[in-house]
Amino acid sequence: MHRAPGLSVRLKLTLSYAGFLMLAGAVLLVVGYFSLSRGVHPGVIFMVRSHADLLRYFAPRAAAVLAFLLVFGLLGGWILAGRMLAPLTRITDATRLAATGSLSHRIELEGRQDEFRELADSFDTMLARLEAHVDEQQRFAANASHELRTPLAITQTLLDVARNDLSGDRDTGELVDRLHAVNTRAIGLTEALLLLSRADQRSFTRERIELSLVAEEAAETLLPLAEKRGLTIETSGDTTPTTGSHALLLQMTTNLVHNAIVHNRPEAGTVWVTTSAHPKRAVLTVENTGETLTPELVSTLAEPFKRGTERIRTDDAGVGVGLGLAIVKSITRAHDGTLTLTPRPAGGLRVTVQLPPAPPHTGR
């Protein structure tokens, strides 16, 4: 936005200081003049022959005093305003750097906790969050491009093979099956990216949700997969009301339960899904048996396209694209909740989602 040039804040403060100083001096001179005009001054008694003589004697000295106050007020006000506005200058310079795309710098304003210090600390916090968000988005974009390029490259290779094999010796059924599997994976990845974007934008309507019912629905949906792998799903918990999107919370819970099934023991494993209600939070916990995990590895599992120590590929649509826990993290954040991943001492993972509780019903 283009605006007409005007006086700087420093100059305005300087003129204000000088103006107040001159006003105070003028008031004192006027009071002194009227005091002398009556012929009485503290400690001095003299006769005033005429007001003209007094004015002729008093005016030059009053003008000199006012001139001194003006110069003193301008110089002193300019210096004081500069010292007071120095933190604001640093904040302005940091803002200009941020506008050019540089997010790594910090103001780090020293001194006592005043209004400028609070503004500088808030700006530093904002810069840190922006830098982390931009880095995360850049990593996500790079990983997403790589993940999408892989199925497209495989599809291109299979089509080239089919085009070069015009004799028909190769089994077309096998080729179609492989193309279908690759295309299903690409579709699943695309849908996961769209879901992640929707959760980040918080483009959903909040409604009252019973989290325990959502957990039971997710467990029932994935029960055939668990039985196929020889696993057991145990659900328990209290009535746990919260607010949010039923579709997103169901997707979040389904991802957690699916992750607990896939990353489990080869057989005789268990998945525990529990919900609990507290005065200030609604809690969903999903635990599973499995290999012993290190805290360093667990801290990276919620990042996009992170799938433990190996890159896992499955035949399930939309599964194995490395976005399961990333989507859970995004949905939790969109619902103003927190996500905690903890390795279990006996092996496996414990995932805890804490969401704001639903407000109590106001019955009439």
Side-chain angles (χ1 to χ4, degrees):
M1 179 183 296
H2 298 283
R3 297 181 179 178
L7 299 178
S8 65
V9 176
R10 185 176 185 181
L11 183 56
K12 290 179 180 179
L13 288 176
T14 301
L15 294 177
S16 299
Y17 295 153
F20 279 116
L21 189 59
M22 292 211 41
L23 179 61
V27 171
L28 290 177
L29 289 174
V30 170
V31 172
Y33 174 79
F34 282 106
S35 177
L36 291 175
S37 66
R38 293 185 177 184
V40 179
H41 192 269
V44 179
I45 302 176
F46 59 92
M47 298 300 297
V48 178
R49 291 178 294 179
S50 67
H51 285 284
D53 292 340
L54 178 61
L55 184 62
R56 190 166 46 250
Y57 175 83
F58 188 78
R61 289 166 176 77
V65 171
L66 289 177
F68 171 77
L69 291 177
L70 177 61
V71 175
F72 181 79
L74 290 175
L75 292 177
W78 183 261
I79 295 173
L80 289 176
R83 291 177 61 87
M84 291 183 62
L85 295 178
L88 188 60
T89 302
R90 291 180 58 180
I91 296 174
T92 302
D93 294 339
T95 304
R96 288 172 179 166
L97 283 175
T100 62
S102 175
L103 301 176
S104 59
H105 63 283
R106 300 292 181 268
I107 300 174
E108 296 181 349
L109 189 65
E110 59 277 351
R112 296 183 177 181
Q113 192 73 21
D114 56 8
E115 289 80 357
F116 286 127
R117 177 68 181 275
E118 291 180 359
L119 178 60
D121 291 346
S122 299
F123 190 79
D124 286 343
T125 302
M126 183 189 69
L127 283 179
R129 294 184 63 182
L130 283 176
E131 184 181 16
H133 181 71
V134 170
D135 290 342
E136 181 181 353
Q137 292 298 320
Q138 289 177 348
R139 291 196 305 268
F140 178 80
N143 291 330
S145 300
H146 175 76
E147 293 291 328
L148 284 172
R149 183 175 58 183
T150 300
L152 293 177
I154 296 175
T155 301
Q156 182 65 40
T157 301
L158 292 176
L159 292 176
D160 290 340
V161 170
R163 182 175 59 183
N164 295 329
D165 187 18
L166 299 178
S167 61
D169 296 336
R170 184 176 296 272
D171 186 5
T172 57
E174 179 184 356
L175 180 63
V176 170
D177 290 340
R178 294 187 62 185
L179 283 173
H180 182 269
V182 173
N183 187 67
T184 299
R185 172 174 168 74
I187 293 175
L189 177 58
T190 304
E191 291 178 347
L193 290 172
L194 291 175
L195 180 61
L196 189 60
S197 174
R198 178 189 173 192
D200 287 336
Q201 295 176 3
R202 303 192 178 196
S203 55
F204 57 87
T205 302
R206 293 181 179 270
E207 57 181 334
R208 188 180 181 89
I209 304 296
E210 176 49 54
L211 198 57
S212 61
L213 297 181
V214 173
E216 292 179 1
E217 183 178 356
E220 184 178 353
T221 302
L222 293 173
L223 183 59
L225 177 62
E227 293 177 344
K228 179 181 178 181
R229 293 174 176 260
L231 305 177
T232 303
I233 300 180
E234 298 181 6
T235 60
S236 61
D238 307 324
T239 301
T240 310
T242 185
T243 58
S245 167
H246 180 272
L248 289 179
L249 291 179
L250 178 59
Q251 182 69 50
M252 177 194 73
T253 310
T254 302
N255 283 11
L256 287 177
V257 176
H258 186 275
N259 186 78
I261 293 174
V262 173
H263 301 280
N264 212 310
R265 295 174 181 172
E267 57 183 11
T270 308
V271 176
W272 296 274
V273 183
T274 59
T275 58
S276 58
H278 302 272
K280 295 184 178 181
R281 64 188 186 277
V283 181
L284 167 68
T285 304
V286 179
E287 299 183 58
N288 67 289
T289 53
E291 297 181 0
T292 302
L293 303 175
T294 63
E296 293 77 15
L297 175 61
V298 170
S299 64
T300 65
L301 292 180
E303 296 181 11
F305 304 105
K306 292 288 185 179
R307 284 164 279 183
T309 57
E310 298 180 357
R311 304 186 68 80
I312 300 170
R313 306 287 184 181
T314 70
D315 296 332
D316 299 320
V319 176
V321 297
L323 289 175
L325 289 179
I327 291 176
V328 170
K329 180 180 178 181
S330 181
I331 294 176
T332 303
R333 184 170 50 196
H335 286 76
D336 301 318
T338 58
L339 175 68
T340 305
L341 279 67
T342 309
R344 299 178 69 248
L349 184 67
R350 176 186 296 110
V351 182
T352 304
V353 177
Q354 299 187 30
L355 301 174
H361 282 296
T362 57
R364 295 185 178 179

